[in-house]
Every structure is written in C-alpha cells, then in structure tokens.
C-alpha cells in the first residue's frame, strides 16, 4: 500500500447556452465529472455564484471528501483497536470566507455520531478519532484546520 497513488477524472463543462462565455450571466455553470467505471457526478457552482443548487458544488465535494476520509480511516482505526462500530453518521460543516474574487475555507468541523457494540469500547472509540485524523490523507492535505467533535454511544 505505501507509495504513490494516482487519480484521474474528466471535468466537462456542459453549460454553453449557445454563446459561450460572452457575458457573466450568459452561461450555465453545469459540469459533468467522470471517472472511468463510476457513475457521473453532475456538478455546478454553488447557488451564490450563479450555480445550480440541485447539483454538487466544489465546496460540497471538499466537505464530503473530508467527512468520508475520516469515516473510512476511523473504521480502520476501530478495527485495529478492537472496537465494533455498528453505526456512524457525520453532520460535517465548513466555513468559507469570500474575499474579493477569491476566498478560502477557514475550517471544517466533523460531527460524527458513532454507535459501538459495548460500553467497554467507548474510550477506544473516542481515541480512534485521533488516529483517523492523523491517517486521513485528505485532512492532512488541507491548509486549514479540520476538527472533529465526536459523540460515541452504546447501542
């Protein structure tokens, strides 16, 4: 598993309304994201940036990447620690600040709610979030803090 891993996708703008980018309001922000062998993702800009709110936007996808990476790293950490997870739901939230024509994410906070099989597993289930944070490739690539505020219950 160590070593270099490569990823590729094709992003195709599908928002030409007939006059291309002749004006700021003259084109749609529709994009199709394709990865070989996977379903296409219909994407756009976020609504405040004249996008289609029914489609995924880059900010949604960044948040989703962080949330899923933590989840998958967390499940592995729990296996290593002998914790049996029976449920995991994360309500992730991010803060982005727009500055002129640019901007940046200031932070993301993950709010995982985890259910474990036995009360004796709670302490290790909580500690496994630190492992997951360290192991998540996406979080370690960010130039802003990624926090987690976890809740662990016994089910």
């Amino acid at each position: 598993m160590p070593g270099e891993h490569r990823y590729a996708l094709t992003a195709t703008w599908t928002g030409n309304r007939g006059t291309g980018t002749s004006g700021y309001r003259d084109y749609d922000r529709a994009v199709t994201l394709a990865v070989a062998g996977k379903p296409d993702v219909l994407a756009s800009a976020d609504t405040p940036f004249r996008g289609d709110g029914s489609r995924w936007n880059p900010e949604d996808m960044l948040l989703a990447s962080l949330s899923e990476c933590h989840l998958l790293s967390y499940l592995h950490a729990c296996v290593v620690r002998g914790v049996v997870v029976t449920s995991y739901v994360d309500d992730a939230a991010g803060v982005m600040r727009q500055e002129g024509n640019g901007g940046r994410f200031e932070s993301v906070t993950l709010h995982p709610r985890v259910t474990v099989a036995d009360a004796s597993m709670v302490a290790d289930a909580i500690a496994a979030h630190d492992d997951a944070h360290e192991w998540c490739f996406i979080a370690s690539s960010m130039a802003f803090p990624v926090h987690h505020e976890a809740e662990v219950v016994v089910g």
Side-chain angles (χ1 to χ4, degrees), residues 1 11 14-15 25 29-30 37 59 72 83 86 88 102 104 110 113 115 120 124 132 140 142 147 149 155:
M1 189 156 144
T14 57
R25 290 177 167 68
R29 277 64 175 170
E59 296 82 12
L72 296 171
V83 174
T86 59
Y88 183 113
R104 61 180 286 123
L110 309 177
R113 289 184 315 281
T115 304
S120 65
D124 277 329
S140 64
M142 297 295 101
H147 307 285
E149 296 175 1

Side-chain angles (χ1 to χ4, degrees), residues 33 52 57 61-62 73 108 123 143-144:
L33 303 174
D52 180 345
N57 63 60
M61 288 187 274
L62 177 65
S73 298
V108 164
F144 56 82

Side-chain angles (χ1 to χ4, degrees), residues 55-69:
R55 292 178 172 227
W56 284 83
N57 63 60
E59 296 82 12
D60 292 334
M61 288 187 274
L62 177 65
L63 194 57
S65 293
L66 286 163
S67 178
E68 183 182 0
C69 187

Side-chain angles (χ1 to χ4, degrees), residues 66 93 104-109 133 139 142-148:
L66 286 163
R104 61 180 286 123
F105 267 83
E106 292 186 341
S107 67
V108 164
T109 303
H133 182 73
M142 297 295 101
F144 56 82
V146 178
H147 307 285
H148 58 273

Side-chain angles (χ1 to χ4, degrees), residues 92-151:
V95 177
M96 185 183 79
R97 180 149 332 272
Q98 188 176 354
E99 299 165 351
N101 287 331
R104 61 180 286 123
F105 267 83
E106 292 186 341
S107 67
V108 164
T109 303
L110 309 177
H111 298 95
R113 289 184 315 281
V114 178
T115 304
V116 297
D118 188 81
S120 65
M121 300 174 178
V122 170
D124 277 329
I126 292 168
H129 283 288
D130 292 330
D131 298 337
H133 182 73
E134 180 182 330
W135 298 344
C136 174
F137 306 131
I138 307 299
S140 64
S141 301
M142 297 295 101
F144 56 82
V146 178
H147 307 285
H148 58 273
E149 296 175 1
E151 174 187 351

